[in-house]
PDB file of all heavy atoms in Angstrom:
ATOM      1  N   GLU A 453     -22.168 -37.193  14.868  1.00  0.00           N
ATOM      2  CA  GLU A 453     -22.452 -35.769  14.623  1.00  0.00           C
ATOM      3  C   GLU A 453     -22.197 -34.924  15.873  1.00  0.00           C
ATOM      4  O   GLU A 453     -22.959 -34.013  16.191  1.00  0.00           O
ATOM      5  CB  GLU A 453     -23.898 -35.584  14.149  1.00  0.00           C
ATOM      6  CG  GLU A 453     -24.222 -36.342  12.873  1.00  0.00           C
ATOM      7  CD  GLU A 453     -25.676 -36.140  12.461  1.00  0.00           C
ATOM      8  OE1 GLU A 453     -26.192 -35.037  12.678  1.00  0.00           O
ATOM      9  OE2 GLU A 453     -26.276 -37.090  11.940  1.00  0.00           O
ATOM     10  N   PHE A 454     -21.132 -35.252  16.565  1.00  0.00           N
ATOM     11  CA  PHE A 454     -20.728 -34.495  17.765  1.00  0.00           C
ATOM     12  C   PHE A 454     -21.817 -34.545  18.848  1.00  0.00           C
ATOM     13  O   PHE A 454     -21.941 -33.643  19.675  1.00  0.00           O
ATOM     14  CB  PHE A 454     -20.443 -33.040  17.396  1.00  0.00           C
ATOM     15  CG  PHE A 454     -19.258 -32.461  18.105  1.00  0.00           C
ATOM     16  CD1 PHE A 454     -17.991 -32.963  17.886  1.00  0.00           C
ATOM     17  CD2 PHE A 454     -19.418 -31.408  18.979  1.00  0.00           C
ATOM     18  CE1 PHE A 454     -16.899 -32.429  18.541  1.00  0.00           C
ATOM     19  CE2 PHE A 454     -18.335 -30.860  19.638  1.00  0.00           C
ATOM     20  CZ  PHE A 454     -17.069 -31.378  19.402  1.00  0.00           C
ATOM     21  N   GLY A 455     -22.613 -35.603  18.841  1.00  0.00           N
ATOM     22  CA  GLY A 455     -23.772 -35.666  19.717  1.00  0.00           C
ATOM     23  C   GLY A 455     -23.474 -35.970  21.167  1.00  0.00           C
ATOM     24  O   GLY A 455     -24.348 -35.794  22.017  1.00  0.00           O
ATOM     25  N   SER A 456     -22.279 -36.457  21.495  1.00  0.00           N
ATOM     26  CA  SER A 456     -21.981 -36.778  22.892  1.00  0.00           C
ATOM     27  C   SER A 456     -20.789 -35.996  23.433  1.00  0.00           C
ATOM     28  O   SER A 456     -20.379 -36.235  24.568  1.00  0.00           O
ATOM     29  CB  SER A 456     -21.690 -38.280  23.027  1.00  0.00           C
ATOM     30  OG  SER A 456     -20.526 -38.626  22.302  1.00  0.00           O
ATOM     31  N   ALA A 457     -20.240 -35.099  22.648  1.00  0.00           N
ATOM     32  CA  ALA A 457     -19.057 -34.349  23.092  1.00  0.00           C
ATOM     33  C   ALA A 457     -19.443 -33.362  24.185  1.00  0.00           C
ATOM     34  O   ALA A 457     -20.289 -32.493  23.973  1.00  0.00           O
ATOM     35  CB  ALA A 457     -18.438 -33.614  21.911  1.00  0.00           C
ATOM     36  N   THR A 458     -18.848 -33.507  25.355  1.00  0.00           N
ATOM     37  CA  THR A 458     -19.089 -32.540  26.424  1.00  0.00           C
ATOM     38  C   THR A 458     -18.094 -31.395  26.294  1.00  0.00           C
ATOM     39  O   THR A 458     -17.129 -31.469  25.536  1.00  0.00           O
ATOM     40  CB  THR A 458     -18.942 -33.205  27.798  1.00  0.00           C
ATOM     41  OG1 THR A 458     -17.610 -33.751  27.896  1.00  0.00           O
ATOM     42  CG2 THR A 458     -19.952 -34.322  27.981  1.00  0.00           C
ATOM     43  N   ILE A 459     -18.301 -30.367  27.096  1.00  0.00           N
ATOM     44  CA  ILE A 459     -17.441 -29.189  26.993  1.00  0.00           C
ATOM     45  C   ILE A 459     -16.005 -29.509  27.409  1.00  0.00           C
ATOM     46  O   ILE A 459     -15.048 -29.024  26.792  1.00  0.00           O
ATOM     47  CB  ILE A 459     -18.042 -28.019  27.833  1.00  0.00           C
ATOM     48  CG1 ILE A 459     -17.188 -26.770  27.681  1.00  0.00           C
ATOM     49  CG2 ILE A 459     -18.186 -28.414  29.273  1.00  0.00           C
ATOM     50  CD1 ILE A 459     -17.180 -26.211  26.291  1.00  0.00           C
ATOM     51  N   VAL A 460     -15.843 -30.349  28.424  1.00  0.00           N
ATOM     52  CA  VAL A 460     -14.477 -30.697  28.845  1.00  0.00           C
ATOM     53  C   VAL A 460     -13.802 -31.562  27.786  1.00  0.00           C
ATOM     54  O   VAL A 460     -12.604 -31.411  27.522  1.00  0.00           O
ATOM     55  CB  VAL A 460     -14.503 -31.413  30.214  1.00  0.00           C
ATOM     56  CG1 VAL A 460     -13.123 -31.950  30.571  1.00  0.00           C
ATOM     57  CG2 VAL A 460     -14.990 -30.465  31.288  1.00  0.00           C
ATOM     58  N   TRP A 461     -14.574 -32.461  27.159  1.00  0.00           N
ATOM     59  CA  TRP A 461     -13.994 -33.263  26.081  1.00  0.00           C
ATOM     60  C   TRP A 461     -13.556 -32.362  24.927  1.00  0.00           C
ATOM     61  O   TRP A 461     -12.487 -32.570  24.340  1.00  0.00           O
ATOM     62  CB  TRP A 461     -15.017 -34.288  25.584  1.00  0.00           C
ATOM     63  CG  TRP A 461     -14.439 -35.224  24.561  1.00  0.00           C
ATOM     64  CD1 TRP A 461     -13.818 -36.406  24.779  1.00  0.00           C
ATOM     65  CD2 TRP A 461     -14.411 -35.025  23.138  1.00  0.00           C
ATOM     66  NE1 TRP A 461     -13.404 -36.964  23.596  1.00  0.00           N
ATOM     67  CE2 TRP A 461     -13.752 -36.134  22.572  1.00  0.00           C
ATOM     68  CE3 TRP A 461     -14.877 -34.014  22.301  1.00  0.00           C
ATOM     69  CZ2 TRP A 461     -13.548 -36.267  21.203  1.00  0.00           C
ATOM     70  CZ3 TRP A 461     -14.677 -34.139  20.930  1.00  0.00           C
ATOM     71  CH2 TRP A 461     -14.021 -35.260  20.403  1.00  0.00           C
ATOM     72  N   TYR A 462     -14.363 -31.350  24.590  1.00  0.00           N
ATOM     73  CA  TYR A 462     -14.008 -30.434  23.496  1.00  0.00           C
ATOM     74  C   TYR A 462     -12.778 -29.601  23.863  1.00  0.00           C
ATOM     75  O   TYR A 462     -11.910 -29.349  23.011  1.00  0.00           O
ATOM     76  CB  TYR A 462     -15.204 -29.537  23.195  1.00  0.00           C
ATOM     77  CG  TYR A 462     -14.994 -28.646  21.998  1.00  0.00           C
ATOM     78  CD1 TYR A 462     -14.599 -29.171  20.766  1.00  0.00           C
ATOM     79  CD2 TYR A 462     -15.198 -27.270  22.086  1.00  0.00           C
ATOM     80  CE1 TYR A 462     -14.406 -28.355  19.672  1.00  0.00           C
ATOM     81  CE2 TYR A 462     -15.014 -26.452  20.994  1.00  0.00           C
ATOM     82  CZ  TYR A 462     -14.615 -27.000  19.789  1.00  0.00           C
ATOM     83  OH  TYR A 462     -14.410 -26.181  18.688  1.00  0.00           O
ATOM     84  N   ILE A 463     -12.688 -29.191  25.135  1.00  0.00           N
ATOM     85  CA  ILE A 463     -11.499 -28.452  25.585  1.00  0.00           C
ATOM     86  C   ILE A 463     -10.259 -29.330  25.437  1.00  0.00           C
ATOM     87  O   ILE A 463      -9.206 -28.877  24.958  1.00  0.00           O
ATOM     88  CB  ILE A 463     -11.690 -28.002  27.052  1.00  0.00           C
ATOM     89  CG1 ILE A 463     -12.757 -26.907  27.139  1.00  0.00           C
ATOM     90  CG2 ILE A 463     -10.366 -27.512  27.645  1.00  0.00           C
ATOM     91  CD1 ILE A 463     -13.145 -26.554  28.556  1.00  0.00           C
ATOM     92  N   TRP A 464     -10.387 -30.583  25.843  1.00  0.00           N
ATOM     93  CA  TRP A 464      -9.251 -31.508  25.707  1.00  0.00           C
ATOM     94  C   TRP A 464      -8.874 -31.691  24.243  1.00  0.00           C
ATOM     95  O   TRP A 464      -7.696 -31.706  23.888  1.00  0.00           O
ATOM     96  CB  TRP A 464      -9.623 -32.843  26.340  1.00  0.00           C
ATOM     97  CG  TRP A 464      -8.643 -33.933  26.049  1.00  0.00           C
ATOM     98  CD1 TRP A 464      -7.465 -34.185  26.701  1.00  0.00           C
ATOM     99  CD2 TRP A 464      -8.737 -34.919  25.013  1.00  0.00           C
ATOM    100  NE1 TRP A 464      -6.824 -35.259  26.147  1.00  0.00           N
ATOM    101  CE2 TRP A 464      -7.582 -35.724  25.096  1.00  0.00           C
ATOM    102  CE3 TRP A 464      -9.683 -35.183  24.032  1.00  0.00           C
ATOM    103  CZ2 TRP A 464      -7.359 -36.790  24.231  1.00  0.00           C
ATOM    104  CZ3 TRP A 464      -9.460 -36.236  23.162  1.00  0.00           C
ATOM    105  CH2 TRP A 464      -8.305 -37.030  23.276  1.00  0.00           C
ATOM    106  N   GLN A 465      -9.871 -31.845  23.363  1.00  0.00           N
ATOM    107  CA  GLN A 465      -9.588 -32.030  21.944  1.00  0.00           C
ATOM    108  C   GLN A 465      -8.865 -30.822  21.360  1.00  0.00           C
ATOM    109  O   GLN A 465      -7.870 -30.968  20.637  1.00  0.00           O
ATOM    110  CB  GLN A 465     -10.888 -32.283  21.186  1.00  0.00           C
ATOM    111  CG  GLN A 465     -10.663 -32.647  19.718  1.00  0.00           C
ATOM    112  CD  GLN A 465     -11.877 -32.371  18.862  1.00  0.00           C
ATOM    113  OE1 GLN A 465     -12.550 -31.362  19.017  1.00  0.00           O
ATOM    114  NE2 GLN A 465     -12.169 -33.296  17.961  1.00  0.00           N
ATOM    115  N   GLN A 466      -9.352 -29.628  21.676  1.00  0.00           N
ATOM    116  CA  GLN A 466      -8.717 -28.429  21.141  1.00  0.00           C
ATOM    117  C   GLN A 466      -7.308 -28.242  21.694  1.00  0.00           C
ATOM    118  O   GLN A 466      -6.402 -27.819  20.982  1.00  0.00           O
ATOM    119  CB  GLN A 466      -9.573 -27.200  21.472  1.00  0.00           C
ATOM    120  CG  GLN A 466     -10.889 -27.145  20.726  1.00  0.00           C
ATOM    121  CD  GLN A 466     -10.694 -27.027  19.224  1.00  0.00           C
ATOM    122  OE1 GLN A 466      -9.884 -26.235  18.750  1.00  0.00           O
ATOM    123  NE2 GLN A 466     -11.416 -27.842  18.464  1.00  0.00           N
ATOM    124  N   GLY A 467      -7.132 -28.562  22.980  1.00  0.00           N
ATOM    125  CA  GLY A 467      -5.838 -28.322  23.602  1.00  0.00           C
ATOM    126  C   GLY A 467      -4.777 -29.342  23.245  1.00  0.00           C
ATOM    127  O   GLY A 467      -3.629 -28.974  22.937  1.00  0.00           O
ATOM    128  N   PHE A 468      -5.142 -30.625  23.262  1.00  0.00           N
ATOM    129  CA  PHE A 468      -4.107 -31.667  23.151  1.00  0.00           C
ATOM    130  C   PHE A 468      -4.151 -32.441  21.836  1.00  0.00           C
ATOM    131  O   PHE A 468      -3.232 -33.195  21.560  1.00  0.00           O
ATOM    132  CB  PHE A 468      -4.231 -32.622  24.333  1.00  0.00           C
ATOM    133  CG  PHE A 468      -3.986 -31.952  25.652  1.00  0.00           C
ATOM    134  CD1 PHE A 468      -5.050 -31.564  26.456  1.00  0.00           C
ATOM    135  CD2 PHE A 468      -2.693 -31.679  26.076  1.00  0.00           C
ATOM    136  CE1 PHE A 468      -4.825 -30.924  27.666  1.00  0.00           C
ATOM    137  CE2 PHE A 468      -2.467 -31.048  27.288  1.00  0.00           C
ATOM    138  CZ  PHE A 468      -3.533 -30.660  28.087  1.00  0.00           C
ATOM    139  N   GLN A 469      -5.196 -32.290  21.051  1.00  0.00           N
ATOM    140  CA  GLN A 469      -5.212 -32.889  19.723  1.00  0.00           C
ATOM    141  C   GLN A 469      -4.935 -31.834  18.648  1.00  0.00           C
ATOM    142  O   GLN A 469      -4.157 -32.060  17.731  1.00  0.00           O
ATOM    143  CB  GLN A 469      -6.553 -33.575  19.456  1.00  0.00           C
ATOM    144  CG  GLN A 469      -6.716 -34.890  20.230  1.00  0.00           C
ATOM    145  CD  GLN A 469      -7.928 -35.688  19.756  1.00  0.00           C
ATOM    146  OE1 GLN A 469      -8.867 -35.141  19.195  1.00  0.00           O
ATOM    147  NE2 GLN A 469      -7.913 -36.980  19.995  1.00  0.00           N
ATOM    148  N   ASN A 470      -5.581 -30.691  18.762  1.00  0.00           N
ATOM    149  CA  ASN A 470      -5.380 -29.630  17.777  1.00  0.00           C
ATOM    150  C   ASN A 470      -4.305 -28.633  18.203  1.00  0.00           C
ATOM    151  O   ASN A 470      -4.019 -27.696  17.454  1.00  0.00           O
ATOM    152  CB  ASN A 470      -6.701 -28.890  17.542  1.00  0.00           C
ATOM    153  CG  ASN A 470      -7.776 -29.815  16.994  1.00  0.00           C
ATOM    154  OD1 ASN A 470      -7.477 -30.876  16.446  1.00  0.00           O
ATOM    155  ND2 ASN A 470      -9.029 -29.432  17.128  1.00  0.00           N
ATOM    156  N   LEU A 471      -3.750 -28.805  19.412  1.00  0.00           N
ATOM    157  CA  LEU A 471      -2.677 -27.935  19.929  1.00  0.00           C
ATOM    158  C   LEU A 471      -3.074 -26.463  19.914  1.00  0.00           C
ATOM    159  O   LEU A 471      -2.265 -25.591  19.607  1.00  0.00           O
ATOM    160  CB  LEU A 471      -1.382 -28.159  19.146  1.00  0.00           C
ATOM    161  CG  LEU A 471      -0.757 -29.551  19.276  1.00  0.00           C
ATOM    162  CD1 LEU A 471       0.533 -29.641  18.482  1.00  0.00           C
ATOM    163  CD2 LEU A 471      -0.486 -29.886  20.732  1.00  0.00           C
ATOM    164  N   GLN A 472      -4.313 -26.187  20.253  1.00  0.00           N
ATOM    165  CA  GLN A 472      -4.762 -24.805  20.429  1.00  0.00           C
ATOM    166  C   GLN A 472      -4.969 -24.563  21.923  1.00  0.00           C
ATOM    167  O   GLN A 472      -6.090 -24.417  22.414  1.00  0.00           O
ATOM    168  CB  GLN A 472      -6.049 -24.564  19.645  1.00  0.00           C
ATOM    169  CG  GLN A 472      -5.874 -24.701  18.147  1.00  0.00           C
ATOM    170  CD  GLN A 472      -7.140 -24.357  17.379  1.00  0.00           C
ATOM    171  OE1 GLN A 472      -8.063 -23.758  17.919  1.00  0.00           O
ATOM    172  NE2 GLN A 472      -7.182 -24.733  16.125  1.00  0.00           N
ATOM    173  N   LEU A 473      -3.868 -24.531  22.636  1.00  0.00           N
ATOM    174  CA  LEU A 473      -3.949 -24.446  24.096  1.00  0.00           C
ATOM    175  C   LEU A 473      -4.477 -23.093  24.563  1.00  0.00           C
ATOM    176  O   LEU A 473      -5.116 -22.997  25.611  1.00  0.00           O
ATOM    177  CB  LEU A 473      -2.578 -24.727  24.696  1.00  0.00           C
ATOM    178  CG  LEU A 473      -2.140 -26.199  24.645  1.00  0.00           C
ATOM    179  CD1 LEU A 473      -0.711 -26.352  25.107  1.00  0.00           C
ATOM    180  CD2 LEU A 473      -3.058 -27.052  25.506  1.00  0.00           C
ATOM    181  N   GLY A 474      -4.180 -22.033  23.810  1.00  0.00           N
ATOM    182  CA  GLY A 474      -4.724 -20.727  24.179  1.00  0.00           C
ATOM    183  C   GLY A 474      -6.239 -20.725  24.110  1.00  0.00           C
ATOM    184  O   GLY A 474      -6.920 -20.251  25.036  1.00  0.00           O
ATOM    185  N   TYR A 475      -6.788 -21.275  23.015  1.00  0.00           N
ATOM    186  CA  TYR A 475      -8.247 -21.342  22.867  1.00  0.00           C
ATOM    187  C   TYR A 475      -8.846 -22.271  23.922  1.00  0.00           C
ATOM    188  O   TYR A 475      -9.882 -21.950  24.529  1.00  0.00           O
ATOM    189  CB  TYR A 475      -8.571 -21.844  21.469  1.00  0.00           C
ATOM    190  CG  TYR A 475     -10.034 -21.873  21.141  1.00  0.00           C
ATOM    191  CD1 TYR A 475     -10.871 -20.820  21.495  1.00  0.00           C
ATOM    192  CD2 TYR A 475     -10.596 -22.956  20.460  1.00  0.00           C
ATOM    193  CE1 TYR A 475     -12.214 -20.844  21.195  1.00  0.00           C
ATOM    194  CE2 TYR A 475     -11.943 -22.987  20.151  1.00  0.00           C
ATOM    195  CZ  TYR A 475     -12.749 -21.936  20.523  1.00  0.00           C
ATOM    196  OH  TYR A 475     -14.096 -21.958  20.235  1.00  0.00           O
ATOM    197  N   ALA A 476      -8.200 -23.404  24.172  1.00  0.00           N
ATOM    198  CA  ALA A 476      -8.694 -24.337  25.191  1.00  0.00           C
ATOM    199  C   ALA A 476      -8.687 -23.687  26.571  1.00  0.00           C
ATOM    200  O   ALA A 476      -9.616 -23.884  27.372  1.00  0.00           O
ATOM    201  CB  ALA A 476      -7.838 -25.600  25.191  1.00  0.00           C
ATOM    202  N   THR A 477      -7.659 -22.908  26.858  1.00  0.00           N
ATOM    203  CA  THR A 477      -7.604 -22.234  28.161  1.00  0.00           C
ATOM    204  C   THR A 477      -8.715 -21.203  28.294  1.00  0.00           C
ATOM    205  O   THR A 477      -9.318 -21.058  29.366  1.00  0.00           O
ATOM    206  CB  THR A 477      -6.234 -21.557  28.335  1.00  0.00           C
ATOM    207  OG1 THR A 477      -5.208 -22.515  28.118  1.00  0.00           O
ATOM    208  CG2 THR A 477      -6.094 -20.976  29.725  1.00  0.00           C
TER     209      THR A 477
END
Side-chain angles (χ1 to χ4, degrees):
E453 301 179 35
F454 220 64
S456 64
T458 59
I459 183 65
V460 172
W461 185 89
Y462 186 53
I463 290 172
W464 170 83
Q465 187 202 41
Q466 291 296 314
F468 297 100
Q469 286 191 337
N470 299 340
L471 295 181
Q472 296 184 15
L473 287 173
Y475 184 43
T477 306

